[in-house]
Amino acid sequence: MLLDDRYGRVATDLRVSLTDRCSLRCSYCMPPEGLPWLPKDEILTDAEVIRLVGIATGLLGVTEVRYTGGEPLLRPGLVEIVRQTPVHTSLTTNAIGLSRLAVPLAEAGLARVNVSLDTLDRDRFVALAHRDRLADTLAGIEAAAAAGLTPVKLNTVLMRGVNEDEAPALLQFALDHGYELRFIEQMPLDAQHGWSRDNMVTATEILESLSGFGLTPDLSTVRGSAPAETWLVGGGPARVGVIASVTRPFCGDCDRTRLTADGQVRNCLFARGESDLRTPMRAGASDAELAALWRTAMWGKLPGHGIDNPAFLQPDRPMSSIGG
Ligand code: SAM
Ligand code: SF4
């Protein structure tokens, strides 16, 4: 059984949100005061997460799992969940707390990390994330590299008037340390509904601002289902990526399926609906029954996210709850 859909795509890459809570408040993601968090009894237990991940990898052809959130490092059972994950496992994180957890996570089988880093300037970090934690993030990144959670990939969202001038400095930082930087176009997924197309820094603008680095298309990688288009820096081997989800969507090649912290399958970041696995699981559904529900959820995946359509409606859940 595979997680295929009516457009011929097959989902093999599972994103699991382990919590909707976070240690930061990045303005493109959540408001400074936080959000109404999911009630504890609605959040999957560690055993439930491990069971559903086991169904995805054992019965449904999932070959890769990425834990995310909210901030996955806030989940007390994270190391054990990683240890029980039978396929290639990575983490998307703000790295706060990673200096303590990098070694245990590596020993539990974590392959690598993606760390969000939007600025190298402390005051900007505070303005952007509403917490004075840049030093913790940088320490976490260093610890990840030292623990062998490599390649360490850095994710940057540029915002006009906030950090849009920092692309070259961030790329230089990544090059100096051997990290792989990817810029992500800002998407309409913030809880405050503050996104506007006009205000978004586009992939084209990002690439223009990096013209001094002598970027050339990276012909060794076919974009395929990988959302990042990559460029060689100064002839390589260093690379930089741009995830142009808005201006150059890759929906036709999408291989993602998502599970929220409260046990809902989402077939797309931008889906308006989701499919509940938690209730049937707690009512005694078998693995085969849960697998069938997951397959049905993916079969209904739309061909594209439609951000450019005037009728586009932002999903009710914010990014922090869906799991980016
Ligand atoms: N807290 C972790 C982190 O920040 O890496 C994991 C969760 S976060 C929701 C996952 C990724 O989504 C981060 O790289 C973040 O920059 C990105 N993200 C959040 N809101 C976004 C938005 N509105 N547009 C584009 N990317 C966004
Ligand atoms: Fe937290 Fe990540 Fe959202 Fe920033 S992007 S507020 S670190 S969940």
Side-chain angles (χ1 to χ4, degrees):
M1 270 200 294
L2 292 174
L3 289 174
D4 49 350
D5 68 34
R6 68 188 82 195
Y7 300 98
R9 296 166 297 190
V10 180
T12 54
D13 182 349
L14 168 61
R15 300 285 154 110
V16 183
S17 173
L18 291 177
T19 175
D20 57 331
R21 292 170 186 257
C22 191
S23 40
L24 296 180
R25 300 284 184 267
C26 307
S27 55
Y28 50 74
C29 184
M30 54 167 109
E33 66 278 12
L35 291 166
W37 309 122
L38 293 168
K40 189 159 187 287
D41 62 335
E42 288 182 15
I43 294 195
L44 298 180
T45 64
D46 293 354
E48 287 172 335
V49 171
I50 290 163
R51 179 173 173 205
L52 290 178
V53 168
I55 290 170
T57 54
L59 298 180
L60 293 168
V62 163
T63 55
E64 242 186 86
V65 176
R66 169 96 53 92
Y67 291 110
T68 177
E71 178 43 53
L73 294 177
L74 295 180
R75 175 105 185 189
L78 175 64
V79 173
E80 196 47 38
I81 291 172
V82 167
R83 198 186 315 283
Q84 302 284 337
T85 305
V87 293
H88 183 277
T89 310
S90 57
L91 195 68
T92 300
T93 173
N94 61 30
I96 294 173
L98 198 53
S99 42
R100 185 174 53 84
L101 281 167
V103 169
L105 283 167
E107 285 172 358
L110 189 72
R112 48 167 215 87
V113 291
N114 279 26
V115 180
S116 299
L117 182 70
D118 299 321
T119 180
L120 295 165
D121 179 272
R122 183 176 169 184
D123 293 334
R124 276 192 182 183
F125 191 96
V126 176
L128 208 154
H130 298 99
R131 299 284 187 276
D132 190 5
R133 307 296 296 270
L134 175 62
D136 296 312
T137 290
L138 294 177
I141 294 171
E142 227 173 274
L149 297 172
T150 51
V152 171
K153 294 191 180 175
L154 303 180
N155 293 341
T156 299
V157 177
L158 293 179
M159 282 172 296
R160 216 174 283 293
V162 180
N163 62 343
E164 64 178 319
D165 58 345
E166 231 180 302
L170 284 160
L171 179 53
Q172 194 56 55
F173 171 81
L175 296 173
D176 291 346
H177 292 84
Y179 309 142
E180 206 172 306
L181 180 64
R182 296 121 42 97
F183 293 95
I184 309 176
E185 280 182 346
Q186 189 183 354
M187 296 179 277
L189 286 168
D190 57 316
Q192 313 89 297
H193 293 237
W195 182 91
S196 81
R197 173 77 194 238
D198 294 344
N199 228 358
M200 188 193 80
V201 181
T202 63
T204 305
E205 290 175 90
I206 296 167
L207 290 168
E208 274 168 16
S209 72
L210 297 176
S211 57
F213 286 88
L215 303 188
T216 47
D218 180 6
L219 301 176
S220 70
T221 58
V222 180
R223 190 181 183 194
S225 61
E229 290 183 86
T230 53
W231 280 263
L232 296 176
V233 183
R239 296 186 303 174
V240 62
V242 179
I243 303 181
S245 323
V246 179
T247 60
R248 301 175 200 174
F250 37 87
C251 304
D253 292 314
C254 179
D255 65 353
R256 304 269 164 83
T257 180
R258 297 172 184 276
L259 181 66
T260 64
D262 55 346
Q264 313 296 305
V265 169
R266 295 182 63 91
N267 56 29
C268 172
L269 261 183
F270 296 93
R272 303 273 312 151
E274 40 194 43
S275 306
D276 183 15
L277 294 187
R278 185 192 72 231
T279 306
M281 176 166 58
R282 290 185 179 171
S286 67
D287 285 5
E289 286 165 339
L290 292 168
L293 288 171
W294 204 323
R295 266 177 59 76
T296 305
M298 294 310 294
W299 190 251
K301 180 165 170 144
L302 295 176
H305 57 45
I307 293 175
D308 271 338
N309 185 329
F312 172 77
L313 280 176
Q314 193 172 327
D316 294 330
R317 270 189 203 255
M319 181 73 136
S320 54
S321 173
I322 298 170

